[in-house]
Amino acid sequence: MRFDVPAGVSPIDRLKVVGRPVARIEGPLKVSGLAAYAYDHRLADAHLVHGYIVGSAIAKGRIDHIDLADAEAAPGVLFILTHRNAGPIGMERSVIRSKVLAGPEIDHYHQAIALVVAETFEQARAAAALIRVDHSRKTGDFDLVAEKSGAPLAPSFRGPPEAAVGDFEGAFRSAPFQLDETFTTPDQSHAMLEPHATIAAWEGDKLTCWTSVQLLDIGTSDMASALGIPKENIRFISHYIGGGFGGKGFVLADNILAALAARALGRPVKVAMQRALIFNNTTHRSATIQRIRIGAQPDGKIVAIGHESWCYNVHNGWPESATQPTKVLYAGANRMTRSHMARLDLPEAGHMRAPCETPGMMALECAMDEMAIKLGIDPVEFRILNDTQVNPENPSRPFSQRRFVECLRQGADRFGWSRRNAQPGAVREGRWLIGMGVAGAVRAAPIFPSAARARLDRNGIVTIETDMTDIGTGSYTVIAQTAAEMMGIDIDRVVVRLGDSSFPVSPGSGGQFGAASSTAGVYAACLKLREAVARHLGWNGDDIEFADGLVRQGWQSVDLGSTALAGELIGGDRMDYGELSQTYDLQTFGANFSEVAVDSLTGEIRVRRMLMVCSAGRILNPKTARSQVIGSMVMGLGAALMEQLAVDTRFGLFVNHDLASYEVPVHADIPHQEVIFLDEVDPIASPLKAKGVGELGIVGTAPSIANALYNATGVRVRDYPLTVDKYLRAAG
Ligand code: MOS
């Protein structure tokens, strides 16, 4: 069915199951260890063997000679895949540009040069250490700062690389208040808990991969291209995914090398990428350099706003287009955004944790704070003054819903903003300096076509099948809630089957589009199932009611399961989208508040409280949504204070490629977190009146912490992460 007029009243609006804080239905499986992740899958036959990836020790150059003799003679070794025996690997892939197997050319550090396959994991790992490689090293470009000036404009998924409205330069020059600052954000790694892992098994010319991939339909397409076989011959199964954050969007070395080795060997091959390889072998978020200029009138109205961003990627890679939030968040008649991308020989940069908005707001929302302070206007009020209800680059395009101002006001009220001392460095508790910071949040909320199948059996159990994934987000649960609401049954009468590419196609998990898109597909399938039930009963009319496990019309009432006594009833459909999502700009909004304490003697920075208020349409499940947002806020804290891949610009690698040295927040870093969802529905966004919310949680967190650090100390650090050394240097 097609969604092209705003959602009217539907069975969802009963809110008997949807909108309730239902605990994750797969939770017991996860906490008891029964949820089988890719690597956990057990094949019936015992011929499963293990692959171990060998990464390149140089970043750029050529393999002159690769000596496999000792490795091949090592105990248990069955096969070693290299460029010499792999055959061609197709490169027509949707997003990823890098070769999964180097040779003879090497394109980046830790690019795979071999997959050693042995009877056991330990044998494969031991043999991998016996491979000897002679390379010639070539010089490469590894330094964004050095390549910045020549970096061309680069279009992104989100649109053209530059936009101009009015006369930015002129308006900025003549503005009575001007801000012109440059911010930098570092390279970051997804650092999900479950490593990239695949079990690949062939049956004739058909391949099955138990794998950890967020987007199964794109994954099977890309795998088909890589292997040169029809997509129909490939099945991906990702029942559970232990975090992805964008890093598992696409097929990478583990999938493709496992499939190639399994084909060559005629036995199923299991590969988990070792943690130390993930940081350089897979994708990461590009560092950015961002210049922001804001011109304002004394009354606080922005008259000019400009945002230029530089990132890097491999040839033809996609940019981290950090100018994105500036295109939508604040009013201002004269505007300019430009997004540049340098080409470097570092590993490929990819989507990560709200790409574009996350680094973009780390700059924009600090610049807004600095401008408010210059103007002598409260930072909450300064943002409210510059609110807009239409896309400021394209005023004929309204937002489907935008309650940004309410997020700011409610957040200020709940956080106790009125107790903030606007004078930096003025609040002390013993040796601790205390400060509060605010940041706005905006993140696009796109929606994509999604299909599902709903099956009713004689016991009244409704089974939903779609290739949607659950990457730890709660997909199983919100889909079960949707089906239960639509069919008028308890949630324990619903079985949800996800993560299998043989099921109807969804867009998968990413870009905070998963929940709204996939539940809309389930909604469409359930409408079809309701029709099938009515048809079976020979009823028609629009007064048929599905409630309490019954189907009713007038005085007639039958048990839902009884309609399937003669055989399963099935409804399948796909939700498609018309002009509505073109006419309106679909975005989610929020406001983040942080309180930090800074040790006046050591410079240690501790976050003490965090609050986020979200305007994100109907919240399908406040419990799983809250988990999403607080998890995102944890990532935002990581971005603010610690996460950083250290680039060795001489040898072209990320030096800290493990979880000991790539620091992410631990429990002791996370303070009291609170999340408020504005009570709203967005009938333009989706049939369930819902939007995404997971990625909204990250975007405003880091700048709110940076702004709180300034308020606590009077020290502005514009170079993330805000580590003690940078703070102390800036403090003088
Ligand atoms: Mo997200 S970076 O779109 O998985």
Side-chain angles (χ1 to χ4, degrees), residues 400-700:
S400 66
Q401 178 147 252
R402 170 169 168 139
R403 294 170 70 196
F404 182 47
V405 169
E406 277 166 87
C407 293
L408 288 160
R409 288 218 192 282
Q410 221 186 97
D413 188 48
R414 288 289 287 267
F415 200 68
W417 186 253
S418 61
R419 295 196 301 274
R420 171 181 177 266
N421 189 329
Q423 180 64 41
V427 180
R428 248 179 193 278
E429 284 177 19
R431 62 193 259 183
W432 294 92
L433 294 162
I434 313 297
M436 288 189 208
V438 65
V442 64
R443 171 71 176 153
I447 189 150
F448 295 107
S450 191
R453 188 162 51 225
R455 305 150 61 133
L456 171 67
D457 75 10
R458 57 195 301 153
N459 299 314
I461 300 290
V462 172
T463 299
I464 301 294
E465 293 169 337
T466 162
D467 82 350
M468 178 62 186
T469 49
D470 190 322
I471 61 173
T473 39
S475 312
Y476 278 102
T477 310
V478 293
I479 285 172
Q481 289 174 273
T482 304
E485 198 75 80
M486 289 302 291
M487 301 311 298
I489 54 180
D490 287 340
I491 194 165
D492 62 9
R493 312 300 285 165
V494 181
V495 171
V496 181
R497 301 180 65 201
L498 303 181
D500 185 328
S501 66
S502 67
F503 292 156
V505 172
S506 78
S509 297
Q512 76 168 9
F513 51 68
S517 301
S518 66
T519 55
V522 172
Y523 171 94
C526 288
L527 284 180
K528 280 280 170 25
L529 180 57
R530 289 163 62 116
E531 286 167 25
V533 169
R535 215 169 29 245
H536 177 85
L537 292 168
W539 298 358
N540 44 45
D542 50 17
D543 59 339
I544 302 172
E545 200 195 353
F546 292 74
D548 310 318
L550 304 172
V551 198
R552 294 194 204 104
Q553 188 175 36
W555 54 268
Q556 309 174 86
S557 164
V558 302
D559 184 76
L560 181 63
S562 72
T563 64
L565 280 177
E568 211 179 41
L569 296 179
I570 300 179
D573 202 0
R574 185 174 77 170
M575 188 62 79
D576 286 303
Y577 295 86
E579 277 177 14
L580 216 48
S581 55
Q582 315 303 320
T583 311
Y584 292 89
D585 198 343
L586 304 181
Q587 303 275 345
T588 54
F589 297 90
N592 285 80
F593 293 81
S594 299
E595 181 178 301
V596 307
V598 182
D599 189 318
S600 57
L601 302 180
T602 66
E604 180 184 352
I605 302 161
R606 306 296 305 179
V607 178
R608 302 216 301 192
R609 288 195 294 141
M610 307 164 91
L611 165 68
M612 178 163 201
V613 184
C614 303
S615 163
R618 171 174 278 156
I619 298 302
L620 300 172
N621 179 333
K623 192 175 201 170
T624 54
R626 176 179 178 277
S627 294
Q628 285 291 287
V629 174
I630 64 173
S632 276
M633 288 160 75
V634 171
M635 296 180 192
L637 187 148
L641 297 183
M642 56 197 76
E643 288 190 60
Q644 170 170 33
L645 286 166
V647 185
D648 184 324
T649 54
R650 301 159 307 164
F651 294 105
L653 68 144
F654 301 126
V655 179
N656 50 339
H657 49 73
D658 57 40
L659 286 177
S661 51
Y662 182 83
E663 289 187 31
V664 296
V666 299
H667 283 87
D669 296 310
I670 301 304
H672 181 74
Q673 292 178 293
E674 208 180 323
V675 182
I676 296 168
F677 297 109
L678 294 187
D679 188 9
E680 64 179 40
V681 292
D682 188 339
I684 291 167
S686 89
L688 277 77
K689 306 168 188 170
K691 293 188 273 203
V693 72
E695 295 186 355
L696 178 66
I698 188 174
V699 295

Side-chain angles (χ1 to χ4, degrees), residues 190 214 244-249 351-355 443 471 509-513 695:
H190 304 84
Q214 297 171 229
F245 315 149
K248 290 181 183 160
H351 300 165
M352 174 174 154
R353 306 185 193 164
R443 171 71 176 153
I471 61 173
S509 297
Q512 76 168 9
F513 51 68
E695 295 186 355

